[in-house]
Amino acid sequence: MSFIIAVAGKGGTGKTTVSSLLVNMLAGRGIGSVLGIDADPNSNLAEALGLKVKEDIGSIVDAIAKNPGLVPVGMSKDRFIDYRIQTSIVENDGFDILTMGRPEGPGCYCYVNNLLRTLIKNIADDYDYIVLDNEAGFEHLSRKTMRRADRLLLVSDSSEAGLRAAKRIIALVKELEIDIKNIALILNRTHSIILSDKIQELGVEIAGVIPEDENLLNLSRQGKSITDLEESSKAFVEVKKILEKILAR
Ligand SMILES: Nc1ncnc2c1ncn2[C@@H]1O[C@H](COP(=O)(O)OP(=O)(O)O)[C@@H](O)[C@H]1O
Ligand SMILES: [Mg+2]
C-alpha cells in the first residue's frame, strides 16, 4: 500500500509550495516511486515543479463528453478514460504528476471526483509515495475523494482565517471518519511559533514552522520552479526536516 501524504489548508497559505518540495525531496531520496496529484484546479503542481501538463483529467472528461465518438469501438467509455488518464501522467526524473483540473460540462465535476476516488485506490497503489495537493475548499473531503492518508499536513499562516480553515478541516475529517493516521500543522511564513490559544485549540502537533523565504519569492518572480530552490533556503531546510520526521515513523 502506498504511503499517502495529503496537504490541505486555506488558499494561498503554501500548499503547492510544500507539496512540490515534498515531491522533489522524496524523488531525490530514491526510496521508491513518487506520484504527485494536483487536486486543486486553481493551482498547478506540475508547473511548480517546472513541468508542463499535457492534458488534465477535467479536459479529458470534457472532450469525451462533447465528442463521444472519440471512444474507440469495442472499448467502454470508462476504460478509454482510464487509458487517457494513464497517458496524461507527466513523467519526470524520479516522480510522476497527475493533474485533476476542472471539467466544465454539467455533471462532469462529480464524475471527475469519483474518478479521483478510484484513482487514489488503483493507480495510486502502483506508487510507493503519494503527495496529494488538495483544493483549498473542503470539497475533496466532503465528497470523500480521499478516504485515507497516512499524514494530513494542514498548512496555515498565523492568520485567524488560516487557522480557522485548519480547524474546520480537522472537524470534517473526524466527522466523515476519514482514515488518517496523523494530522499535523505546518505554520508557513511565520518566524516563531506563536503558541496562541488558537493553535493549541486545534489539538494537533506542529510538524514544522516555515519562515518567510525570500528565495521562494524570487523564484516565482523569475518564473523558475521549486526544483531551482537552493538547498540552503529556509523553506527547503524546514520542509526537509518535516519530511524526515514523517519518514522516521
Ligand atoms: N515560506 C514562504 N516564503 C515566501 N513565499 C512563500 C512561502 N510559502 C509560499 N510562498 C509563496 O506564496 C504563494 C502562494 O503559495 P502556494 O504554495 O501557491 O499556496 P496554495 O497552494 O496554498 O494556494 C506562492 O507565490 C509561493 O511562492
Ligand atoms: Mg495550490
Side-chain angles (χ1 to χ4, degrees):
M1 205 163 25
S2 37
F3 189 92
I4 302 178
I5 304 171
V7 181
K10 188 180 159 297
T13 50
K15 293 181 297 297
T16 301
T17 303
V18 169
S19 301
S20 53
L21 279 168
L22 287 174
V23 165
N24 193 36
M25 284 173 194
L26 278 166
R29 283 178 175 243
I31 47 174
S33 50
V34 181
L35 175 68
I37 300 179
D38 183 355
D40 184 357
N42 298 311
S43 76
N44 201 329
L45 181 62
E47 205 173 276
L49 285 155
L51 302 171
K52 273 221 164 66
V53 178
K54 290 179 275 185
E55 209 177 16
D56 62 46
I57 298 182
S59 53
I60 293 173
V61 170
D62 274 338
I64 296 171
K66 268 186 215 132
N67 186 2
L70 286 173
V71 182
V73 180
M75 198 189 256
S76 73
K77 184 178 130 191
D78 283 4
R79 260 207 62 204
F80 184 57
I81 288 177
D82 193 45
Y83 158 76
R84 290 282 296 269
I85 289 173
Q86 298 276 354
T87 53
S88 79
I89 294 176
V90 179
E91 291 173 7
N92 195 59
D93 215 11
F95 64 85
D96 291 353
I97 299 289
L98 181 72
T99 305
M100 299 306 297
R102 192 205 304 273
E104 276 155 14
C108 285
Y109 198 59
C110 207
Y111 184 77
V112 167
N113 277 297
N114 288 336
L115 273 176
L116 178 57
R117 195 177 301 144
T118 353
L119 275 171
I120 294 179
K121 259 174 63 195
N122 300 340
I123 297 192
D125 266 348
D126 294 341
Y127 292 86
D128 298 307
Y129 294 94
I130 292 168
V131 177
L132 185 65
D133 184 6
N134 272 282
E135 199 166 3
F138 319 111
E139 291 85 352
H140 287 301
L141 290 173
S142 43
R143 294 195 193 102
K144 286 205 146 193
T145 316
M146 183 185 74
R147 287 206 176 137
R148 74 164 188 98
D150 295 273
R151 294 287 181 279
L152 174 61
L153 299 175
L154 296 172
V155 186
S156 174
D157 44 28
S158 48
S159 75
E160 288 259 340
L163 293 170
R164 220 181 302 130
K167 191 176 174 183
R168 251 183 289 161
I169 296 171
I170 294 169
L172 207 53
V173 162
K174 291 196 175 135
E175 190 188 314
L176 298 172
E177 299 180 339
I178 300 170
D179 175 19
I180 293 176
K181 299 215 170 61
N182 179 278
I183 305 178
L185 184 70
I186 293 181
L187 284 168
N188 190 20
R189 313 186 84 150
T190 310
H191 275 291
S192 57
I193 304 180
I194 319 138
L195 264 179
S196 68
D197 298 346
K198 294 243 158 25
I199 294 174
Q200 267 176 332
E201 222 178 80
L202 294 177
V204 296
E205 64 184 283
I206 295 175
V209 182
I210 306 172
E212 181 73 22
D213 187 336
E214 51 287 342
N215 290 344
L216 269 179
L217 293 175
N218 287 334
L219 280 186
S220 39
R221 261 189 223 123
Q222 296 165 2
K224 287 188 178 169
S225 85
I226 211 93
T227 47
D228 295 315
L229 187 66
E230 281 171 40
E231 297 196 5
S232 57
S233 292
K234 291 173 195 155
F236 192 102
V237 170
E238 193 56 37
V239 175
K240 193 172 167 211
K241 274 196 235 160
I242 294 170
L243 178 62
E244 264 152 22
K245 262 195 260 173
I246 290 175
L247 294 177
R249 286 201 265 177

